[in-house]
């Protein structure tokens, strides 16, 4: 009997990717053949994101493409998992009869049973309790072999007024320190050199489980693991960037001086309406402290334009703030009204065209700032991990500490006989299209 081929399409954030990797391991161990492209699969599993409207639209496009392939006899069965399936289980059932299975996030552990069922002609629609999903278990990594995401918690208690995550993934839940360290050791044994810590709010780690902010303690333990070279922190909440955490980053050589700290805005009234604390003064003080303690720090942030009630003056305040802080990396998003969230019911909703226009202004300004930053790197030498060879440019490419996988830029450089996952020193000579150009330093 021919082995059934399964293709996994995972959309959205690295936390969702961790869910996909847990499912892929179960699928592989059950004897199914995992294929790299959905078009090659008998069963395609679409692990969706449902965070904002654009993510929903991307998921729907992927589902419609799978339905088209199914109608053409390419894919035999379609299973939808992830945040969209969790949030809209009944709607998916009703609006897409061509889908053979819909699994809420808490049903991810049933993926093998679902594949078996749909291949027998059954239709599986399973919802799950919010927050009732497993974060632990063996994963079949979908990243390159030298780096991996390490999820330390899931869910969120921040309750930002614009965000649907608590309704989809439930309250904040930390994994035990022992379990995380055990997984980190296992990843190191598999050749992983860079661990990227993720959660909805990494800085909140331990508050539910240990009644204290335990991220510094966790980091100290992970730093002791042989084989781990780089540790990168994503999704840090500004109010919980404590002095203890800053000193831990400063003290531990393995923790990269790269911090992703989403601020969303800087105006105090807008932040209050977002159910976030702080203002431009507290944020400015934090970033000034960070740059003082970590002079080579790379800062990434995200901001939202066009939040309900945002005036022109408040937008200008935001634009000036990010320009003055000079974030090395910045993602700007036009506000997306998510049903069921308090912000969606607020008065003074901003027209879509204006939200997008404000977003374009900040994005264009950021492109200029980042181009200037790239120009300033010329002559500097950085340790760089090799990720591949570009035959068109006849150059290797990779990342130094300034670039997180998939969301930031690349370093292109000359060299010979290098392998993916190898760490080399690269001297920067130029920059093109916001990517750094360099040469191998022997």
């Amino acid at each position: 009997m021919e082995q059934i081929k399964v293709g996994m399409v995972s959309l959205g954030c690295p936390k969702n990717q961790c869910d996909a990797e847990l499912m892929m391991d179960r699928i592989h161990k059950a004897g199914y053949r995992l294929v790299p492209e959905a078009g090659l699969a008998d069963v395609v599993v679409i692990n969706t994101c449902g965070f904002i409207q654009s993510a929903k639209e991307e998921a729907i496009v992927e589902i419609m493409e799978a339905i088209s392939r199914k109608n053409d006899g390419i894919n035999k069965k379609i299973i939808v998992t992830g945040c969209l399936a969790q949030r809209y289980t009944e709607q998916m059932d009703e609006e897409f009869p061509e889908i053979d299975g819909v699994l809420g996030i808490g049903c991810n552990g049933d993926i093998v049973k679902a594949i078996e069922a749909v291949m027998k002609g059954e239709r599986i629609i399973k919802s799950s309790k919010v927050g009732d999903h497993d974060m632990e278990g063996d994963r079949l990594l979908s990243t390159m072999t030298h780096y991996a995401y390490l999820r330390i918690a899931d869910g969120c208690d921040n309750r930002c007024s614009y965000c649907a995550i608590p309704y989809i993934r439930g309250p904040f839940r930390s994994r035990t320190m022992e379990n995380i360290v055990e997984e980190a050791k296992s990843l190191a044994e598999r050749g992983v050199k860079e661990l990227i810590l993720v959660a909805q709010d990494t800085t909140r780690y331990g508050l539910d489980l240990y009644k204290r902010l335990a991220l510094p303690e966790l980091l100290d333990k992970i730093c002791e693991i042989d084989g781990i070279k780089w540790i990168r922190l994503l999704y840090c909440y500004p109010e919980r960037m404590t002095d203890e955490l800053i000193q831990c980053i400063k003290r531990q050589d393995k923790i990269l001086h790269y911090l992703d700290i989403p601020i969303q805005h800087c105006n105090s009234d807008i932040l209050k309406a977002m159910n976030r604390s702080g203002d431009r003064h507290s944020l400015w003080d934090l970033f000034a402290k960070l740059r003082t303690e970590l002079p080579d720090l790379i800062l990434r942030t995200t901001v939202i334009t066009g939040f309900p009630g945002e005036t022109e003056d408040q937008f200008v305040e935001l634009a000036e703030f990010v320009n003055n802080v000079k974030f090395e990396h910045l993602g700007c998003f036009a506000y997306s009204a998510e049903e069921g969230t308090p912000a969606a019911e607020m008065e003074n909703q901003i027209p879509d065209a204006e939200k997008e226009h404000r977003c374009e202004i900040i994005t264009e300004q950021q492109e200029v700032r980042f181009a200037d930053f790239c120009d300033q790197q010329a002559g500097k030498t950085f340790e760089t991990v090799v990720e591949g060879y570009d035959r068109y440019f006849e150059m290797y490419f990779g990342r130094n500490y300034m670039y997180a996988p998939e969301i930031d830029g690349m370093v292109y450089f000359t060299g010979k006989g290098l392998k993916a996952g190898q760490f080399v020193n690269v001297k920067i000579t130029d920059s093109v299209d916001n990517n750094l150009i360099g040469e191998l330093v022997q």
Side-chain angles (χ1 to χ4, degrees):
M1 184 177 177
E2 186 178 352
Q3 195 177 24
I4 294 173
K5 299 185 290 292
V6 180
M8 173 69 73
V9 178
S10 191
L11 307 173
C13 69
K15 284 91 70 181
N16 214 36
Q17 190 170 344
C18 289
D19 285 336
E21 291 173 347
L22 286 166
M23 285 189 283
M24 286 195 296
D25 186 80
R26 290 187 172 98
I27 293 167
H28 172 69
K29 286 177 178 175
Y32 295 101
R33 179 185 169 193
L34 284 161
V35 293
E37 296 180 22
L40 303 174
D42 298 310
V43 181
V44 58
V45 180
I46 304 173
N47 192 40
T48 60
C49 175
F51 179 44
I52 55 177
Q53 185 60 33
S54 59
K56 295 178 192 174
E57 292 170 358
E58 181 186 20
I60 297 301
V61 167
E62 195 69 45
I63 291 168
M64 294 305 296
E65 289 178 355
I67 290 172
S68 177
R69 289 194 301 268
K70 183 181 179 183
N71 291 336
D72 291 339
I74 298 171
N75 296 142
K76 294 182 177 65
K77 303 293 180 181
I78 303 168
I79 297 175
V80 178
T81 63
C83 290
L84 202 67
Q86 173 70 29
R87 195 174 183 192
Y88 301 109
T89 309
E90 292 182 5
Q91 292 93 322
M92 302 288 284
D93 177 22
E94 296 169 0
E95 296 179 21
F96 297 101
E98 303 90 346
I99 292 175
D100 302 279
V102 180
L103 300 182
I105 298 171
C107 303
N108 284 351
D110 297 328
I111 187 63
V112 172
K113 291 180 180 178
I115 293 172
E116 292 171 350
V118 299
M119 289 305 292
K120 292 177 183 176
E122 299 176 31
R123 193 160 187 262
I124 303 298
I125 310 296
K126 295 186 68 174
S127 59
S128 62
K129 181 181 176 182
V130 173
D132 184 21
H133 60 279
D134 198 357
M135 294 182 279
E136 299 166 357
D138 293 335
R139 292 157 53 199
L140 189 63
L141 299 182
S142 56
T143 54
M144 299 186 73
T145 56
H146 59 273
Y147 76 87
Y149 296 104
L150 180 61
R151 176 167 48 184
I152 64 173
D154 206 350
C156 192
D157 287 344
N158 291 331
R159 295 281 173 175
C160 299
S161 63
Y162 52 83
C163 184
I165 291 298
Y167 310 107
I168 300 172
R169 289 190 171 264
F172 188 86
R173 296 181 298 129
S174 299
R175 295 174 58 188
T176 66
M177 205 170 295
E178 294 77 13
N179 190 278
I180 295 170
V181 172
E182 181 182 347
E183 182 175 2
K185 288 179 179 177
S186 174
L187 291 169
E189 290 169 358
R190 294 164 65 179
V192 170
K193 302 294 183 184
E194 177 182 3
L195 288 177
I196 305 165
L197 272 58
V198 294
Q200 304 301 335
D201 175 3
T202 54
T203 44
R204 195 184 187 93
Y205 174 74
L207 195 57
D208 58 320
L209 202 57
Y210 304 114
K211 310 307 176 189
R212 67 181 189 280
L213 298 176
L215 182 59
E217 183 181 346
L218 175 64
L219 287 169
D220 282 336
K221 290 182 181 295
I222 295 175
C223 285
E224 295 174 1
I225 300 172
D226 291 336
I228 298 300
K229 187 175 180 65
W230 285 356
I231 299 170
R232 190 182 299 273
L233 295 175
L234 299 186
Y235 315 119
C236 300
Y237 195 80
E239 302 305 310
R240 284 183 275 278
M241 283 299 308
T242 62
D243 288 343
E244 182 185 10
L245 177 56
I246 295 170
Q247 291 307 310
C248 176
I249 296 168
K250 186 176 181 179
R251 179 180 70 253
Q252 294 285 9
D253 292 337
K254 291 184 179 183
I255 305 175
L256 299 177
H257 290 182
Y258 172 109
L259 288 171
D260 171 40
I261 307 178
I263 62 170
Q264 312 309 355
H265 215 283
C266 69
N267 176 267
S268 57
D269 290 334
I270 294 295
L271 286 170
K272 185 176 181 179
M274 288 179 167
N275 197 33
R276 295 175 69 95
S277 55
D279 54 27
R280 73 174 186 272
H281 300 296
S282 61
L283 290 168
W284 179 266
D285 289 346
L286 170 63
F287 296 129
K289 178 192 292 185
L290 286 169
R291 293 210 187 273
T292 297
E293 294 292 332
L294 309 167
D296 59 343
L297 178 65
I298 299 299
L299 281 172
R300 161 171 278 283
T301 197
T302 55
V303 297
I304 296 172
T305 57
F307 188 81
E310 183 190 55
T311 65
E312 183 68 26
D313 286 346
Q314 289 169 333
F315 165 69
V316 170
E317 182 181 347
L318 174 63
E320 290 179 347
F321 181 81
V322 297
N323 186 55
N324 290 333
V325 174
K326 293 181 170 56
F327 294 97
E328 283 76 17
H329 303 294
L330 181 145
C332 185
F333 300 90
Y335 168 71
S336 173
E338 294 304 307
E339 60 183 284
T341 62
E345 305 301 322
M346 290 180 179
E347 298 179 352
N348 301 317
Q349 298 283 330
I350 309 296
D352 289 345
E354 180 61 25
K355 291 188 291 189
E356 294 289 350
H357 176 62
R358 294 177 183 182
C359 184
E360 288 171 4
I361 290 173
I362 287 184
T363 300
E364 289 171 1
Q365 291 177 344
Q366 177 62 22
E367 288 174 354
V368 173
R369 284 192 298 270
F370 190 66
D372 290 342
F373 168 77
C374 288
D375 290 342
Q376 295 167 16
Q377 306 314 307
K380 299 178 182 178
T381 298
F382 299 98
E383 188 172 32
T384 303
V385 61
V386 180
E387 298 208 315
Y389 184 78
D390 191 310
R391 297 187 181 279
Y392 181 79
F393 292 108
E394 296 184 333
M395 301 180 82
Y396 288 93
F397 59 89
R399 296 177 295 107
N400 58 29
Y401 84 99
M402 297 187 289
Y403 298 116
E406 301 176 16
I407 55 174
D408 299 326
M410 282 284 180
V411 181
Y412 290 86
F413 54 96
T414 56
K416 289 184 179 180
L418 304 179
K419 296 180 179 180
Q422 184 177 348
F423 284 79
V424 296
N425 289 319
V426 174
K427 182 178 181 180
I428 305 304
T429 58
D430 201 353
S431 62
V432 176
D433 294 333
N434 294 341
N435 293 305
L436 298 178
I437 310 297
E439 56 189 19
L440 187 68
V441 178
Q442 299 292 347

